[in-house]
């Protein structure tokens, strides 16, 4: 008596699940609001001068070279 071998393809699409909820529906259910334009967001420049920014970048590059 020979055993039957069933091959399964890894490229097959998963079966449709009944619990799938489209992204738009999740957004509606959760009450998610879009972000305002970036220009309208309040922010502060973390660097008080161009020199401070240049020092930060130099330190960042140096720390990356060390690791």
């Amino acid at each position: 008596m020979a055993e039957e071998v069933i091959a399964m393809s890894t490229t097959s699409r998963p079966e449709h699940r009944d619990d799938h909820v489209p992204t738009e529906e999740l957004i509606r259910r959760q009450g998610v609001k879009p972000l305002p334009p970036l220009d309208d967001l309040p922010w502060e420049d973390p660097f008080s001068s161009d020199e401070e920014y240049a020092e930060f970048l130099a330190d960042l590059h140096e720390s990356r070279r060390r690791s």
Side-chain angles (χ1 to χ4, degrees), residues 12-66:
S12 65
R13 292 178 30 176
E15 293 182 29
H16 176 72
R17 294 174 47 171
D18 290 335
D19 61 345
H20 172 75
V21 179
T23 303
E24 293 79 12
E25 177 61 18
L26 290 173
I27 291 170
R28 188 194 65 74
R29 288 181 188 179
Q30 295 175 10
V32 175
K33 303 287 185 237
L35 289 174
L38 290 178
D39 292 338
D40 294 348
L41 294 175
W43 70 281
E44 246 181 72
D45 190 349
F47 304 101
S48 57
S49 68
D50 289 342
E51 292 78 22
E52 186 179 359
Y53 179 62
E55 289 173 13
F56 167 77
L57 289 179
D59 184 60
L60 177 64
H61 292 298
E62 179 61 29
S63 68
R64 289 183 176 173
R65 276 184 251 153
R66 280 184 265 143

